[in-house]
Amino acid sequence: MPSLAVARVVLREMTTRERVARTPEPDLVMDDPAKVAAYTRAGREDGVMAPVYLFHTAHMCEVIRPGDTVIDLACGPATQLAQVARLNPDVRFIGIDLSRPMLERASDHVAALRLSNVELRHGDITVLASVADGSADAVVSSMALHHLPTVDLLGKNFAQVKRVLRPGGGAYFADFGRLFSAKSIDYFAYQYADRQPELFTLDYLYSLKAAFSVDDFRRASAVLGEAVRLSSTFGAAFMVALKSPPRRTLPDPLLQALVELRTAMPSHHKADFRDLRRVFSIGGLRLSSPL
């Protein structure tokens, strides 16, 4: 069962009549050095977002194959991108982001890990000018689409995904979902305020307020048809995911590497990972391989 605190949020979201309106991010492109640093630190493998990134990494691994070219939309400091690329050295990854400071952090991170299978590009994910039609075997994105200022641009993003993705290609998109209650938003934003920089806590709060609703994602991604399935965390749409059918069963070495990353987490991160896995599983998103 999910933790008691999460269960309380779920109960509140299932019973409240409140509907918080979306508030777009105050900084549509994160380029303030202090904010970039705080966001980067929180996302690394020992940061507060580590369980979230590992969960999404596992799902991304199921929709990519050896030899693929994979586009990561709004890759930020390449925390998610580098983790997936390190686990899949025989896949070519292209990370695209509109923030040059984020790309600088990403470049440093990729270089520090000595990843030769990652290319970084500056660009707008609603245009994807540098990506040719049908040139991607898979397209992924995690915890980034809420930075788009409008639902129309969210739709343009998915239209570009359809354009660049080869028929039968893989897709995995995950982001925050818009919670109904302001109290629920505050709970998640300040859940680990004592473990993270204040700037990240505020950015987290702004992200939750800027999240698109499940219906927004359903309408915007309709252009992809049945190529992806929409899921959300059960009871409280804290997160939303769109995933294509798995394109492979994870090989034993890759699955073992994922298990080792989970096992190495501190206990509170393991609890967060279990909570996320359970509430998403009830909501319809499951891994084909146990983790």
Side-chain angles (χ1 to χ4, degrees), residues 193-215:
D194 59 334
R195 302 177 190 166
Q196 62 200 28
E198 183 180 3
L199 278 174
F200 180 78
T201 298
L202 290 175
D203 180 65
Y204 196 3
L205 177 64
Y206 297 149
S207 295
L208 292 171
K209 289 182 175 181
F212 293 105
S213 69
V214 173
D215 286 341

Side-chain angles (χ1 to χ4, degrees), residues 32-280:
D32 177 82
K35 292 182 179 180
V36 170
Y39 181 86
T40 301
R41 179 68 188 85
R44 296 311 189 206
E45 288 186 6
D46 59 346
V48 294
M49 291 293 288
V52 175
Y53 283 125
L54 180 60
F55 178 85
H56 297 317
T57 286
H59 281 281
M60 288 181 185
C61 287
E62 288 194 336
V63 302
I64 62 179
R65 294 173 176 170
D68 277 357
T69 293
V70 178
I71 309 296
D72 183 4
L73 303 181
C75 65
T79 301
Q80 185 87 74
L81 173 58
Q83 187 174 73
V84 179
R86 184 157 54 90
L87 292 167
N88 296 273
D90 46 4
V91 175
R92 178 193 178 208
F93 293 88
I94 301 173
I96 299 175
D97 202 277
L98 196 56
S99 167
R100 293 192 185 278
M102 280 291 190
L103 287 174
E104 291 174 3
R105 292 272 180 168
S107 181
D108 291 343
H109 189 47
V110 168
L113 294 176
R114 298 181 179 179
L115 297 174
S116 60
N117 60 334
V118 175
E119 176 187 348
L120 300 171
R121 297 179 184 177
H122 179 258
D124 184 339
I125 64 172
T126 67
V127 179
L128 293 182
S130 69
V131 185
D133 294 1
S135 61
D137 298 291
V139 182
V140 300
S141 181
S142 65
M143 318 314 293
L145 297 180
H146 62 273
H147 282 283
L148 294 171
T150 66
V151 175
D152 286 345
L153 287 174
L154 183 65
K156 288 183 178 181
N157 166 80
F158 284 116
Q160 288 300 308
V161 172
K162 181 177 177 61
R163 177 182 68 80
V164 304
L165 189 61
R166 288 179 180 143
Y172 184 77
F173 310 98
D175 200 5
F176 298 114
R178 194 186 320 152
L179 293 161
F180 295 147
S181 167
K183 191 172 182 179
S184 298
I185 290 174
D186 286 344
Y187 166 76
F188 283 114
Y190 292 96
Q191 183 181 15
Y192 298 128
D194 59 334
R195 302 177 190 166
Q196 62 200 28
E198 183 180 3
L199 278 174
F200 180 78
T201 298
L202 290 175
D203 180 65
Y204 196 3
L205 177 64
Y206 297 149
S207 295
L208 292 171
K209 289 182 175 181
F212 293 105
S213 69
V214 173
D215 286 341
D216 289 337
F217 276 105
R218 182 176 291 109
R219 288 190 292 267
S221 64
V223 65
L224 299 177
E226 297 182 358
V228 294
R229 178 184 177 184
L230 175 67
S231 304
S232 63
T233 48
F234 173 75
F238 167 59
M239 284 188 193
V240 177
L242 296 111
K243 185 181 181 182
S244 64
R247 297 172 66 228
R248 64 168 171 172
T249 300
L250 298 184
D252 289 341
L254 177 52
L255 182 58
Q256 182 59 35
L258 290 166
V259 170
E260 288 174 359
L261 286 171
R262 176 181 57 78
T263 303
M265 288 179 174
S267 58
H268 57 279
H269 281 179
K270 290 177 182 176
D272 287 346
F273 184 88
R274 288 193 299 269
D275 281 347
L276 187 59
R277 182 180 58 194
R278 288 166 179 164
V279 294
F280 250 131

